[in-house]
Amino acid sequence: MQTSAVYDEIPVIKVIGRGSTTLSAFHDALVQADIAVYNLVRLSSVIPPGTQVDATGKTPAPQGAWGDKLYCVYAEQYATEPGEQAWAGIGWVQRLDGQGGLFVEHEGTSEGYVTQAIKNSLRDLVRGHEEGFTDPDFVVHGAVCEGEPVCAMVIAPYETATWAGAARN
């Protein structure tokens, strides 16, 4: 079953993953977001027309089958040493005419840095057209490494898609 958030609401999901390596921490973050069975296809951050963004965590991620593609925008940051911080965030603006919007994603070692980078990027992307866009909104999430590696992730999944010719039971 293929589902899509496009032309409805794209959820913005924030999670923390942990593991014995950064790769396993990344995978655990995907497990926490309930999207670990997909192949991620990273998008360039344009929000389609007529689509809202849900930062509340209430809109579910699109569903598909094992191995499907999941089109998404995401930010990820790792911390591997005790006391080290990992922060990730996604920010967005929407066109006031309903014809889409823009996502930006940033990562870093402090909440303040990531938040400011998101604000700066969005300001730059709409420069000269500010009156045509909503005020920026964003989700920033982080963790402190307490021993094993951590992955802070914020992800906006758009839709799942099967592979051409993939066998389905």
Side-chain angles (χ1 to χ4, degrees), residues 70-164:
L70 174 64
Y71 296 98
C72 57
V73 170
Y74 65 92
E76 72 199 277
Q77 178 70 24
Y78 303 95
T80 59
E81 298 295 323
E84 191 176 49
Q85 295 184 42
W87 289 88
I90 292 178
W92 62 94
V93 291
Q94 296 274 92
R95 289 176 46 160
L96 294 175
D97 64 5
Q99 294 303 303
L102 299 166
F103 277 127
V104 297
E105 56 279 352
H106 283 282
E107 304 92 2
T109 58
S110 76
E111 180 179 17
Y113 170 80
V114 173
T115 300
Q116 194 59 53
I118 288 170
K119 290 177 180 180
N120 290 347
S121 289
L122 289 170
R123 180 194 65 228
D124 292 347
L125 292 177
V126 301
R127 182 173 284 128
H129 304 282
E130 295 88 349
E131 71 286 345
F133 287 88
T134 63
D135 289 334
D137 203 352
F138 54 90
V139 171
V140 176
H141 196 51
V144 177
C145 177
E146 296 174 352
E148 64 182 1
V150 296
C151 173
M153 175 182 279
V154 179
I155 187 165
Y158 284 51
E159 72 179 8
T160 60
T162 60
W163 294 93

